[in-house]
Amino acid sequence: MLEASSYLGRADRTPSPSAVIQRFAGWGCAVVAALLAAACTIGPDYQKPPVEIPTQFKEGVDWQRAHANPQASLSSNWWFDYHDDTLTRLIQQALKANQSIAQADSAYRLAQATVAANTANLYPSISAGISGTRMGLGPGAATTSTTFAMPGVYNIVSANVSASWEPDLWGQIRREVESSKESAQATDAQLAGERLSIAASIATDYFALRQADVDIGLLEQQQQIDTRILDMTRASLEQKESSSNDVLMAQDTLEQVIAYLQATQATRVQYEHAIAVLTGVPPGNFSIAPEPRYSFVSPTVPLALPSQLLERRYDVVSAERMAAAANAKIGVAEAAFFPTLMLSTQAGFQYSTLSSLFSLPNRLWTLGPSLTQPIFDGGARNAALHEARATYDEYVAAYRQTVLTAFQSVEDSLSSSNHLMQQQRAYADVYQRNQQLFDREQAQFRFGMASEQNVLSQQLTLLLAQQTLADTQALLTLSSVTLIRNLGGGWQWNDTRELSVDPVASSGSLPTAAHAKPPVVQ
């Protein structure tokens, strides 16, 4: 600045505007380079909090424990493994139209905007303006300006360019950028988690609805048989072969089946309404055709090592990224104890006419730094630093608890699947034996060795065994969905790209339900 002042003060030399700009540019570049070279980053560098990781999962079937594949991963389109076109269509529709996903997507875009805003603080702020003023000054008007000392009408035209910059000497802005980036990564993981949650909720409600379809079909058959048994019992009563108590018992059995049937139908309707809302459709405009003979599928879920779970669970990644963001905030709080340097400059022209405005004699400029050091704030900075450290400790504890909960949920799912598979085998054996008994009862009835009521009673037993087996198969399928959700559902942290690209997210912004045209599912 000394060089520029002495240069402009010489009356015997009138430099050109380009020479002035070149000298200011060279001086500015030297200052910027010196400041950047001296800049440092205050605060602790982030280290991922250590957590205890088991070497293998305890529960589950033996071959999964013995042969866990470290490279195993679920497909991001895991629902294809159930080989159900209706389920696939519902999930894809929900991923486009669900409002919870749209809300999470908006939160992620907000986090990205916050990163951009914090990054912008690293750069100078430059503005330009031009103004024109016409002023009249009467003989009796008082003015302190020597420029407008005489009465008359004056024109003032000015043009200026100003710039200001706060060098990030202590890394406060860089820590803010770091914190906002890690918060955005946490929000991205939450968005992935919302997609997984919606897809898993669709699958859970859909399979529960199909379970109701199977139960309704079997209960309707039981109702028909119980109605036939009641009619036969009444006829037997008229012939004095049965008592009134037998009729009452037959009526109770029929009414219980009717009550179960009505409750199951109500449950199915509720699941259908839930699916409609998840797909962004009013329940009144949505229906799913029943399939009483639906066949449940339980795909084999790839099981990785427990250490991989920390990269495949969106909630674990989100909690870890929030801890990283809180760690960067400690640096922001520590940097507040150091002085703040502000560089500002302004240059322009001012004259009475626009035509002669941009000439060297009409120039004006200012240039100067300002250094600010807080001296007393009543302990506000110390409080902010303690708050940042406490917040970091809170997020570290939340991260470790999330890891523990993740391991627990996976172990629970593996245990549930393991026991349900054993139950399925046992109920399948029961069903097979009852099928054999029913076949024998039918054969005896054809040869006149058994009554029709005995055949119907054995058929009821067979239907109950079939319903128990179908319900267990449905629970096993539902358990596989829960296991997929607990394993991360095909999403994975990617160190090279910060977060892996979700196939739905990469297709663009999510449309709202108002733009979607959801058809009635048949």
Side-chain angles (χ1 to χ4, degrees):
M1 189 172 74
L2 294 175
E3 179 185 357
S5 299
S6 60
Y7 173 76
L8 294 175
R10 297 174 186 171
D12 56 338
R13 296 179 61 186
T14 304
S16 64
S18 60
V20 175
I21 294 174
Q22 289 176 0
R23 294 210 175 189
F24 273 114
W27 180 85
C29 291
V31 171
V32 170
L35 291 173
L36 292 178
C40 60
T41 303
I42 301 298
D45 293 330
Y46 176 70
Q47 298 291 332
K48 183 180 292 188
V51 293
E52 183 179 355
I53 303 175
T55 57
Q56 63 182 12
F57 291 109
K58 175 183 177 182
E59 301 295 339
V61 292
D62 293 336
W63 66 267
Q64 284 180 320
R65 288 206 307 266
H67 299 90
N69 180 8
Q71 302 301 322
S73 63
L74 291 166
S75 168
S76 58
N77 296 324
W78 49 267
W79 51 87
F80 288 167
D81 293 337
Y82 292 95
H83 306 290
D84 190 315
D85 293 338
T86 302
L87 174 64
T88 298
R89 183 165 60 253
L90 288 171
I91 290 179
Q92 291 176 343
Q93 181 176 332
L95 293 178
K96 295 179 181 178
N98 185 269
Q99 295 305 298
S100 296
I101 296 179
Q103 182 179 2
D105 180 71
S106 300
Y108 176 57
R109 289 187 283 111
L110 174 62
Q112 288 179 313
T114 302
V115 174
N118 288 334
T119 305
N121 293 329
L122 291 170
Y123 301 96
S125 175
I126 302 175
S127 61
I130 186 169
S131 63
T133 304
R134 184 173 179 84
M135 182 181 67
L137 186 64
T143 178
T144 58
S145 174
T146 58
T147 306
F148 309 111
M150 300 297 295
V153 177
Y154 298 91
N155 295 324
I156 304 174
V157 181
S158 63
N160 65 82
V161 176
S162 61
S164 61
W165 181 45
E166 180 183 348
D168 191 24
L169 297 178
W170 319 113
Q172 184 176 25
I173 300 177
R174 280 169 286 170
R175 289 299 190 191
E176 287 282 6
V177 173
E178 178 184 347
S179 178
S180 61
K181 283 184 178 180
E182 287 154 349
S183 296
Q185 292 168 0
T187 307
D188 194 4
Q190 293 167 5
L191 173 58
E194 191 64 36
R195 291 195 181 100
L196 174 59
S197 177
I198 294 301
S201 296
I202 287 283
T204 299
D205 291 346
Y206 177 78
F207 289 131
L209 180 143
R210 290 309 184 195
Q211 180 182 2
D213 283 345
V214 175
D215 289 344
I216 289 172
L218 294 174
L219 287 170
E220 288 176 345
Q221 295 182 49
Q222 294 176 35
Q223 181 182 1
Q224 294 173 1
I225 295 174
D226 285 329
T227 301
R228 175 59 180 161
I229 291 177
L230 177 60
D231 294 339
M232 293 175 62
T233 305
R234 285 172 175 170
S236 180
L237 176 63
E238 294 176 357
Q239 297 177 2
K240 308 300 182 180
E241 296 178 356
S242 299
S243 65
S244 59
N245 290 340
D246 294 333
V247 175
L248 292 176
M249 292 176 62
Q251 287 177 332
D252 287 346
T253 302
L254 176 60
E255 293 297 336
Q256 288 178 359
V257 171
I258 292 175
Y260 291 152
L261 177 59
Q262 294 300 315
T264 306
Q265 289 174 337
T267 300
R268 187 195 189 279
V269 170
Q270 293 173 359
Y271 281 124
E272 191 175 62
H273 292 169
I275 294 173
V277 173
L278 288 172
T279 55
V281 183
N285 299 334
F286 182 87
S287 64
I288 299 177
E291 292 188 23
R293 298 183 179 275
Y294 187 81
S295 179
F296 293 97
V297 175
S298 297
T300 301
V301 179
L303 185 63
L305 294 176
S307 59
Q308 296 292 319
L309 193 65
L310 304 186
E311 299 177 353
R312 299 181 189 276
R313 285 269 300 211
Y314 66 89
D315 54 344
V316 172
V317 172
S318 178
E320 187 271 330
R321 290 289 84 197
M322 291 303 296
N327 179 81
K329 286 293 187 180
I330 297 177
V332 175
E334 290 182 355
F337 287 88
F338 295 86
T340 300
L341 176 64
M342 176 65 70
L343 301 178
S344 60
T345 182
Q346 182 176 0
F349 298 89
Q350 182 174 334
Y351 197 59
S352 59
T353 62
L354 181 62
S355 59
S356 303
L357 175 64
F358 299 101
S359 60
L360 197 58
N362 300 327
R363 70 188 183 279
L364 56 90
W365 59 271
T366 60
L367 177 66
S370 62
L371 190 66
T372 304
Q373 171 63 54
I375 298 176
F376 178 77
D377 57 8
R381 286 172 295 165
N382 281 318
L385 180 58
H386 294 159
E387 178 184 0
R389 289 173 176 169
T391 301
Y392 171 73
D393 292 339
E394 178 185 1
Y395 279 116
V396 169
Y399 166 66
R400 288 171 175 161
Q401 184 62 40
T402 304
V403 171
L404 290 174
T405 303
F407 287 136
Q408 177 190 2
S409 61
V410 173
E411 295 283 11
D412 289 345
S413 295
L414 291 174
S415 176
S416 176
S417 298
N418 186 36
H419 293 297
L420 284 172
M421 282 190 289
Q422 296 179 15
Q423 291 180 22
Q424 181 189 23
R425 288 192 291 267
Y427 286 133
D429 292 340
V430 172
Y431 174 75
Q432 291 297 330
R433 286 192 292 269
N434 278 277
Q435 183 67 56
Q436 293 175 2
L437 291 173
F438 176 67
D439 293 341
R440 292 174 183 177
E441 199 71 34
Q442 279 186 316
Q444 291 177 358
F445 174 73
R446 286 194 296 268
F447 288 103
M449 300 174 62
S451 66
E452 181 182 0
Q453 189 165 356
N454 289 340
V455 175
L456 293 176
S457 297
Q458 186 59 49
Q459 187 177 3
L460 281 175
T461 304
L462 178 62
L463 289 175
L464 289 173
Q466 183 180 356
Q467 183 176 353
T468 303
L469 176 59
D471 288 344
T472 305
Q473 291 172 338
L475 291 176
L476 185 57
T477 300
L478 290 168
S479 179
S480 68
V481 175
T482 303
L483 178 59
I484 289 172
R485 170 189 279 178
N486 291 334
L487 289 174
W491 181 86
Q492 184 177 2
W493 175 267
N494 190 327
D495 290 333
T496 60
R497 298 178 58 187
E498 293 184 344
L499 289 177
S500 57
V501 179
D502 187 276
V504 176
S506 61
S507 61
S509 59
L510 297 173
T512 61
H515 297 90
K517 296 181 179 179
V520 176
V521 179
Q522 299 295 337

